Amino acid sequence: MNLHNWLPSPQKMSDAVQLRASGFTETTMRQSLGMVFLLGLLAGFIPFLANWEQAASVGTALPLARLGAQGSLLQETPFDYISTYFDPIQLGELFQVLAGLPQPLPGWLTAFISAFGEWLNWPLRWLAVWIVYGALVMVCNNVLGATCRLQPFFAATGFAAAPLLLIGLSPIPCLGRVCSVIGVVWAFIIYARANEEVTGLPRLRSLTAVTLPLLFILIATLSAFALFALVIYLFAAGF
């Protein structure tokens, strides 16, 4: 297998992260797909080690280890909005009991398998976000008058994944959060620049096309949380 068919050249990536126009041309969608997948794997490596250590310290699967940690948090800092409907102490004890359930495999192996599965989800999530978000941006591009085809668009916008490598430093206290914010902002700038380059839209229109899907996702998420809170309230009220 020729890696050149699945990955853009390092020079292309360097040009893209520096917002040079030459970085967003002469790249195929297949190359961007391979790049997003590989960068997702690389970004998830340090979190994989952190997750493995967290799960192995408890001797259970990663989801159960996280559940136990949430149980401890609920017991230490019970929130008022939770205590309205549930006893946070009992809920925390339940989470910790579930985390301590016996496993059919040795604890370290169970921890490794679950952490490894979470690591493999990194590139899959990145690909899903890249495709779904890109589809929404393309709709906005067409509404605003662009006529760009899908393949050049995805080929160019895939380079926005490069600075997201900084998210992989998230397990590091303090520094990880700062790096994650920088990576997300940098990725957004590259995405907007790539969209402007391949669609030929004026900068303001291109920025609008990239921003509107984010607002739509935010509104949809807040609406879902509001609906969930309403259902919980009605359930607690006995309706």
Side-chain angles (χ1 to χ4, degrees):
M1 182 179 65
N2 190 349
L3 289 179
H4 178 70
N5 294 331
W6 288 96
L7 292 172
S9 67
Q11 183 61 49
K12 283 288 182 183
M13 296 181 65
S14 176
D15 290 343
V17 297
Q18 296 179 66
L19 306 180
R20 296 173 180 169
S22 58
F24 305 113
T25 58
E26 301 177 0
T27 301
T28 66
M29 184 176 175
R30 179 194 295 182
Q31 289 174 321
S32 284
L33 186 149
M35 175 180 58
V36 172
F37 186 88
L38 179 61
L39 291 174
L41 275 180
L42 293 176
F45 181 68
I46 293 179
F48 157 68
L49 296 178
N51 289 335
W52 187 12
E53 189 278 331
Q54 178 187 4
S57 65
V58 184
T60 187
L62 179 61
L64 293 179
R66 288 175 172 171
L67 198 61
Q70 290 297 321
S72 299
L73 182 63
L74 283 175
Q75 290 180 319
E76 294 173 2
T77 56
F79 300 102
D80 292 338
Y81 71 90
I82 293 179
S83 60
T84 303
Y85 310 111
F86 308 100
D87 184 348
I89 303 299
Q90 293 182 355
L91 190 62
E93 291 176 351
L94 173 62
F95 286 173
Q96 292 179 322
V97 169
L98 292 175
L101 291 176
Q103 305 295 322
L105 298 175
W108 68 268
L109 182 57
T110 300
F112 173 81
I113 293 174
S114 58
F116 186 76
E118 173 67 17
W119 182 22
L120 292 182
N121 278 331
W122 273 72
L124 298 180
R125 284 195 297 264
W126 282 28
L127 288 172
V129 171
W130 175 51
I131 293 173
V132 174
Y133 177 65
L136 294 175
V137 173
M138 276 298 293
V139 171
C140 296
N141 284 334
N142 291 332
V143 171
L144 294 172
T147 57
C148 177
R149 294 181 297 111
L150 280 175
Q151 290 190 0
F153 169 80
F154 279 108
T157 56
F159 287 101
L164 293 180
L165 276 174
L166 294 174
I167 296 179
L169 302 176
S170 57
I172 302 176
C174 298
L175 177 63
R177 293 186 178 182
V178 174
C179 290
S180 296
V181 172
I182 293 174
V184 170
V185 173
W186 193 358
F188 179 82
I189 295 173
I190 293 175
Y191 200 104
R193 180 71 179 92
N195 187 60
E196 177 186 348
E197 187 64 29
V198 297
T199 61
L201 289 174
R203 181 159 300 177
L204 183 58
R205 287 190 182 184
S206 175
L207 188 60
T208 301
V210 173
T211 304
L212 284 178
L214 295 177
L215 295 177
F216 171 78
I217 294 172
L218 177 61
I219 293 173
T221 302
L222 293 177
S223 299
F225 274 115
L227 180 61
F228 176 75
L230 177 61
V231 171
I232 293 295
Y233 173 76
L234 294 176
F235 176 78
F239 288 98

